[in-house]
Amino acid sequence: MAVHRRGIITPNSVHQTSLGRVLVTIDGLGALRDLMASQASTGAAPPRFEFNGGHFDDPEDLRKLENNELRRVVVKSDQLEVVLASNVAVAIGEPDLCTSIARDWARWRRTSRRPVPLARLDAVVGVFMLLCTPAIALWSALRLIPSEPGSGLVFGIGLGGITLVLGCMSLFKLPKSYALVKPMTLDELRRERTLETRHWQTAAIALAAVTVALIGVLVTVLVKK
């Protein structure tokens, strides 16, 4: 097993089938290779793996790639090319083969996680906006228009609604097609996600506690005035 780095390879074919949002692990990449090999004609060369910088010999070699190199992995055979990138996941080649890849491989590997470094930032911004929604509505009602509390309440609810929508968009809006390439097996990924979920739960509880405390202080100050 080895990694061979060289220039960028550009895909070239006529028919494309979107694979949607797919999770690619080491064993998943191996399954894709086996499926493409089973579709190849007799005597055809085995599928080969490429990335932005060269090619590698085996799915296990994903562990040796840098993070930026994992953003675009291509699996090629004589009749088909599957592009697995952070901005697109597509099968290129004969229509029947492309449909088979989408139906028999990509369909079972759907994901809702973002493949780009901004994923964590989007989540933080989204959660912050959601937690700020009640504070904004309360401040607007009690302080912004004190002579007309009804108008202030309406304005606060509207402004809070905007932050609520923006927060939900940051958390849940996803591109239509991409590949999240993980240099680990599916079992390893599941264990990692379990630990990650616990960390996020702890952080969310701490952030919620801070937000509630700040709202309490704000209410106390406004009531005294």
Side-chain angles (χ1 to χ4, degrees), residues 56-69:
F56 55 96
D57 300 329
D58 189 86
E60 279 288 341
D61 290 327
L62 282 179
R63 301 182 190 273
K64 303 177 184 178
L65 299 183
E66 303 293 336
N67 287 336
N68 62 317
E69 294 173 334

Side-chain angles (χ1 to χ4, degrees), residues 45-165:
R48 53 197 180 277
F49 305 103
E50 299 180 351
F51 64 98
N52 279 351
H55 66 277
F56 55 96
D57 300 329
D58 189 86
E60 279 288 341
D61 290 327
L62 282 179
R63 301 182 190 273
K64 303 177 184 178
L65 299 183
E66 303 293 336
N67 287 336
N68 62 317
E69 294 173 334
L70 291 170
R71 293 187 185 180
R72 185 176 184 275
V73 173
V74 182
V75 188
K76 288 186 176 182
S77 68
D78 293 342
Q79 300 170 297
L80 186 65
E81 180 173 324
V82 179
V83 180
L84 303 168
S86 59
N87 60 346
V88 67
V90 62
I92 307 171
E94 298 182 8
D96 292 345
L97 298 180
C98 293
T99 300
S100 176
I101 295 298
R103 181 188 64 240
D104 300 330
W105 183 80
R107 178 184 177 186
W108 308 105
R109 292 169 172 82
R110 298 293 182 223
T111 185
S112 59
R113 295 201 169 199
R114 292 171 172 82
V116 294
L118 289 178
R120 184 160 298 182
L121 177 60
D122 287 344
V124 171
V125 171
V127 171
F128 179 76
M129 286 184 173
L130 292 178
L131 292 176
C132 282
T133 297
I136 291 175
L138 183 62
W139 180 82
S140 300
L142 297 179
R143 186 63 178 173
L144 188 60
I145 314 178
S147 59
E148 300 181 23
S151 299
L153 180 60
V154 171
F155 180 83
I157 293 175
L159 191 60
I162 292 175
T163 62
L164 180 63
V165 171

